[in-house]
Amino acid sequence: MAKKRPQTKAKRPQITDGEVPVVGAREPCPCGSGRRYKACHGRAAAHAVTELVHRPFAGLPGECDWVALRELVPAATAGLTLRGGLPEGVPSVTLATVLPMAWPALRRDDGSVLLGLQNDTSSGDISRDLADTLQRALEVEPGTPVQGRRAPAGGPRLQDLLDPEGGFEPEVHSGFEFWVPDAENATADVTASLERANAAAIPTVKLHGVDAAYWCETPEKNHLRWVMPHPEEQLLDALARLHAAGRSSLGEGTRLVGSFRAHGLTVPVWDLPSGVTAEDVEKPAAEFAERLASALAADAPLTADERRARGGLTNRQVTLS
C-alpha cells in the first residue's frame, strides 16, 4: 500500500474583524474559518444590528426635543451644526420630522441637506442609522434623495458627527411646505405626498417658557405633552407628590392623565379643554416647573396617598419606543 503523503494546511490570510464584509447568512464566512457567516462573524454583526440603544439621543444638544420631534411632532425642522463645519458645496444641514415620499434624506438642488427623523430604522441604534444616512446625503449629487439601508455596525453615531456646542432649536410648522421651496415646479408625486401629509398633521405648538413642551389640538380635546430629562423613578415620585396634593394640573379643567415612555425619557401628558390654547398654558406650565423642581428635591418616603397616586400614573404609562 502506498504511504499516505503528509498533509499540510495552507496558511489562511489574516483578516481583521473590521475587514470582514457582510455576505449571505448561509454563505461561507469571508474570514476563511470554514463556517457559515451566520455562525461566525455574522453573530457579532447581527447583535450590533439588533441591540437596542435605550437613549439614542443622549449627549446631543436638546435631547428632549429630539425625542419630541421623533415621536410627537408632525411637522418641524431644526438646523444641525456639524463638527468641523460644513463640507464644500453644502450650504446647510437641516433635520426634518418627515420628508416627501418618506425619504430618509434629501440633497436639494442647491446642495443643502434635509435629514428625516421619523423614518423606520434597520437597527436598534437610531443615532447610528441617522448618522449613516447623513454621511451619504453629504456625498450624493444635488437633487438626489437618499434611500434607506442597514448601517455598518462600526459606523459613527450622530454624537460623533454633530457639534456638541451647536445647539438645537426646533421650528414647528403648521404643514410641510418646507419640503418644496418652489411648489410650482414640484413633481406630481411630491405634491400628492405633501397634500396627504398636511391632511394628517395635528396642529402643534412648542411652548416658549419651558423646555420640550408641546401643545397639540385634537377634535375631542387639546393636550400638552412635555418631554422631561429626569430619571423616570424620580420623576414619577415627584409627579405623585404633586398629584396627591392636588397640584399637578395646569389650571381649571386641565388634568395630568399619564405619561409616555420614549427613547429612555418620560413624557407627562395633560388633557386640556378644547378652548385652551398654547398661549394659555405658558404661564401655568412655568409655574408647574417650579413646583416640580421642589418635588424632585424631596427625599421623604411617599405617603399612602402619594403611593396610590404613583400607582395610578404608572398604570397609565404608554411606551412609544
Side-chain angles (χ1 to χ4, degrees):
M1 236 178 120
K3 197 173 184 180
K4 286 188 179 177
R5 208 176 279 242
Q7 299 294 314
T8 58
K9 291 185 179 179
K11 194 172 183 180
R12 287 198 292 263
Q14 297 297 310
I15 302 178
T16 65
D17 287 354
E19 296 172 337
V20 176
V22 176
V23 298
R26 294 180 176 274
E27 295 180 39
C29 187
C31 76
S33 67
R35 292 184 291 171
R36 291 179 178 178
Y37 177 70
K38 71 175 184 178
C40 191
H41 280 85
R43 286 179 174 176
H47 180 70
V49 168
T50 58
E51 185 177 14
L52 179 65
V53 176
H54 188 53
R55 287 179 62 177
F57 306 117
L60 292 174
E63 179 189 6
C64 293
D65 284 310
W66 278 88
V67 172
L69 266 58
R70 168 75 184 184
E71 299 294 341
L72 306 174
V73 181
T77 55
L80 300 180
T81 304
L82 305 186
R83 290 181 186 264
L86 293 166
E88 184 177 355
V90 181
S92 64
V93 175
T94 303
L95 182 75
T97 48
V98 180
L99 294 180
M101 314 299 293
W103 289 324
L106 171 66
R107 182 92 183 268
R108 280 178 159 165
D109 291 337
D110 66 355
S112 61
V113 168
L114 287 176
L115 177 66
L117 180 58
Q118 293 183 7
N119 296 76
D120 292 336
T121 56
S122 58
S123 81
D125 187 354
I126 297 170
S127 178
R128 195 179 308 282
D129 291 333
L130 288 170
D132 176 68
T133 301
L134 173 56
Q135 284 188 311
R136 290 186 290 130
L138 294 170
E139 297 170 356
V140 300
E141 292 296 319
T144 307
V146 175
Q147 304 301 325
R149 74 169 188 182
R150 188 175 76 180
R157 308 178 72 237
L158 285 175
Q159 289 81 347
D160 302 315
L161 301 184
L162 302 184
D163 185 346
E165 304 299 325
F168 190 74
E169 296 295 335
E171 179 182 357
V172 178
H173 304 277
S174 58
F176 295 88
E177 282 70 22
F178 64 86
W179 284 355
V180 281
D182 184 7
E184 293 182 359
N185 293 321
T187 66
D189 285 344
V190 169
T191 300
S193 183
L194 173 62
E195 291 175 353
R196 288 193 300 270
N198 281 342
I202 296 173
T204 301
V205 177
K206 185 179 190 298
L207 299 194
H208 300 292
V210 295
D211 292 333
Y214 292 81
W215 170 95
C216 68
E217 180 182 18
T218 63
E220 296 80 20
K221 61 186 70 175
N222 299 342
H223 306 279
L224 184 71
R225 302 180 290 192
W226 191 341
V227 187
M228 296 187 173
H230 318 291
E232 180 179 2
E233 296 303 313
Q234 182 187 10
L235 177 57
L236 288 174
D237 281 353
L239 293 173
R241 295 180 196 277
L242 295 175
H243 202 60
R247 306 182 69 206
S248 63
S249 77
L250 299 175
E252 185 178 354
T254 70
R255 186 166 66 98
L256 174 65
V257 293
S259 62
F260 297 132
R261 285 195 190 99
H263 305 294
L265 299 182
T266 304
V267 188
V269 178
W270 284 263
D271 278 353
L272 312 172
S274 296
V276 173
T277 66
E279 185 176 356
D280 292 335
V281 294
E282 285 280 6
K283 183 178 178 182
E287 293 171 346
F288 177 84
E290 295 180 359
R291 299 197 299 273
L292 180 63
S294 298
L296 287 166
D299 55 5
L302 296 182
T303 66
D305 287 343
E306 290 168 349
R307 288 197 299 273
R308 281 192 290 271
R310 193 187 195 283
L313 293 172
T314 302
N315 291 336
R316 294 192 297 274
Q317 278 189 313
V318 176
T319 299
L320 300 180
S321 60

